[in-house]
Amino acid sequence: MISYNPKEWFTFIFRFHKADTFRTLLPLIIGISIYSVIIVYFFQDYLHLADNHHLKNITIMHSMLGFVISLLLVFRTNTAYDRWWEGRKQWGSLVNNSRNLALKLSAILVEKEDKTFFKKIIPYYANVLNLHLKNQSISQELFDEYNINIDHKKHRPNQVAKLLFKKINELYLTKKITGEQLLFINIEIVSFTDICGACERIKNTPIPFSYSVFLKKFIFFYVMTLPLGYAFVLGYYTIPVVIFIFYVLASLELIAEEIEEPFGNDENDLPTERIAENIKKNIDEIL
């Protein structure tokens, strides 16, 4: 995730970062520029239709459709941002619940060995969840340390949560914690699986296919018909106008596509790895 100062907005105008939409759209911008030149030349210089007053009214259709497409894009970007923000809230809950669990265990547990176990396993859940959501491989190091076999073909965060539950149950059976204390710390452990499920819901449930395809087709045909209408009004000035309109519409769609999937390695994705590192730092301080 890109860290920046939102107050220095003027510098953003001349800044081109890796995820900038202009880089992605440049081949299409060039293609649409060539297409617009051909259309304007064909109607103005070849057919000489620039003085036809009836054809100049074609722009009315684009004005009406422009309002419709703007509403669709607003809904599209809002929906994508809601998914991004929901993912951020879930990871915020993971931070708070990890801290609360560590604080409770710090006060309840007496033996250093038990505290050391949770000092390692609580942050490890965040690390495993981060890699699980990104479909990356997970180190066997911690599981080997505690002589635990993990099946990488199965749900890995669940296996870490199972390890937590097993250890808590052992503490209860050995009378190191009471039944009331077991219920007291059970809330945070259960929340880990709830957070994992919420993140998986965001990751595995994209925007409906039909809606996404319709919007892309709408933008494509809207932009491709712009030169047909504005060639009679603006002449060769149609070319920069069409390019600018295409850049705005397509950029909004690209931004929505990127942020609707917040768990990845793109520049605008959630900094889940950094959050997991912060959890480890907090747990180390507490335990």
Side-chain angles (χ1 to χ4, degrees), residues 218-232:
F218 195 173
I219 293 175
F220 175 78
F221 288 110
Y222 179 80
V223 172
M224 296 303 285
T225 57
L226 278 176
L228 302 176
Y230 285 96
F232 308 107

Side-chain angles (χ1 to χ4, degrees), residues 10-26:
F10 186 76
T11 59
F12 300 153
I13 300 174
F14 305 102
R15 176 183 176 185
F16 291 93
H17 56 279
K18 182 179 178 181
D20 195 90
T21 55
F22 182 80
R23 298 176 184 271
T24 306
L25 295 174
L26 185 58

Side-chain angles (χ1 to χ4, degrees), residues 36-51:
S36 299
V37 170
I38 295 173
I39 292 297
V40 173
Y41 172 80
F42 183 75
F43 283 113
Q44 270 213 331
D45 299 336
Y46 186 77
L47 296 180
H48 304 286
L49 297 177
D51 297 329

Side-chain angles (χ1 to χ4, degrees), residues 1 4 73-89 202 207 252-253 255-262 268 270:
M1 183 177 175
Y4 67 98
L73 284 172
V74 166
F75 175 78
R76 176 77 169 92
T77 52
N78 285 345
T79 302
Y81 182 76
D82 285 343
R83 291 165 58 87
W84 187 91
W85 183 241
E86 175 64 20
R88 182 61 185 89
K89 288 195 296 183
I202 297 171
I207 297 295
L252 289 173
E253 173 62 15
I255 292 170
E257 286 180 358
E258 183 172 349
I259 66 174
E260 74 179 1
E261 173 50 69
N268 289 316
L270 292 173

Side-chain angles (χ1 to χ4, degrees), residues 54-112:
H54 297 288
L55 294 176
K56 290 183 178 181
N57 294 327
I58 296 178
T59 55
I60 298 176
M61 177 191 70
H62 292 100
S63 299
M64 298 172 62
L65 291 177
F67 176 74
V68 175
I69 201 171
S70 63
L71 291 178
L72 290 173
L73 284 172
V74 166
F75 175 78
R76 176 77 169 92
T77 52
N78 285 345
T79 302
Y81 182 76
D82 285 343
R83 291 165 58 87
W84 187 91
W85 183 241
E86 175 64 20
R88 182 61 185 89
K89 288 195 296 183
Q90 293 299 329
W91 272 82
S93 298
L94 182 62
V95 172
N96 294 334
N97 292 339
S98 297
R99 291 170 178 169
N100 288 331
L101 179 59
L103 288 168
K104 292 178 180 180
L105 291 172
S106 177
I108 294 173
L109 299 178
V110 176
E111 295 184 10
K112 183 179 179 180

Side-chain angles (χ1 to χ4, degrees), residues 3 14 28 60 95 101 106 125 142 199 203 236 261:
S3 298
F14 305 102
L28 287 174
I60 298 176
V95 172
L101 179 59
S106 177
Y125 186 88
L142 180 66
C199 292
K203 175 182 173 61
Y236 282 96
E261 173 50 69

Side-chain angles (χ1 to χ4, degrees), residues 91 126-139 156 272:
W91 272 82
N127 289 326
V128 169
L129 180 59
N130 167 49
L131 297 175
H132 171 72
L133 294 173
K134 295 179 180 178
N135 297 320
Q136 296 179 2
S137 60
I138 298 175
S139 174
R156 293 165 293 187
T272 52

Side-chain angles (χ1 to χ4, degrees), residues 83-217:
R83 291 165 58 87
W84 187 91
W85 183 241
E86 175 64 20
R88 182 61 185 89
K89 288 195 296 183
Q90 293 299 329
W91 272 82
S93 298
L94 182 62
V95 172
N96 294 334
N97 292 339
S98 297
R99 291 170 178 169
N100 288 331
L101 179 59
L103 288 168
K104 292 178 180 180
L105 291 172
S106 177
I108 294 173
L109 299 178
V110 176
E111 295 184 10
K112 183 179 179 180
E113 181 182 354
D114 296 330
K115 289 186 177 182
T116 301
F117 175 87
F118 289 104
K119 181 180 177 180
K120 293 182 178 180
I121 200 67
I122 295 175
Y124 194 70
Y125 186 88
N127 289 326
V128 169
L129 180 59
N130 167 49
L131 297 175
H132 171 72
L133 294 173
K134 295 179 180 178
N135 297 320
Q136 296 179 2
S137 60
I138 298 175
S139 174
Q140 182 74 18
E141 180 181 351
L142 180 66
F143 293 92
D144 291 339
E145 181 179 349
Y146 289 98
N147 297 320
I148 296 169
N149 294 321
I150 180 173
D151 189 349
H152 289 274
K153 295 181 180 180
K154 295 181 180 180
H155 197 279
R156 293 165 293 187
N158 279 352
Q159 296 182 64
V160 182
K162 182 179 179 181
L163 183 61
L164 277 169
F165 276 109
K166 183 178 179 181
K167 182 63 176 179
I168 292 295
N169 188 57
E170 289 178 358
L171 294 176
Y172 172 70
L173 294 177
T174 55
K175 307 300 182 181
K176 293 182 179 180
I177 62 173
T178 64
E180 291 78 7
Q181 291 173 332
L182 175 63
L183 296 175
F184 184 55
I185 62 179
N186 182 64
I187 300 173
E188 280 74 23
I189 300 179
V190 171
S191 70
F192 287 176
T193 303
D194 294 337
I195 292 169
C196 177
C199 292
E200 289 175 336
R201 169 174 51 81
I202 297 171
K203 175 182 173 61
N204 299 325
T205 311
I207 297 295
F209 177 77
S210 298
Y211 180 81
S212 181
V213 170
F214 172 77
L215 186 56
K216 288 180 173 61
K217 289 182 178 179

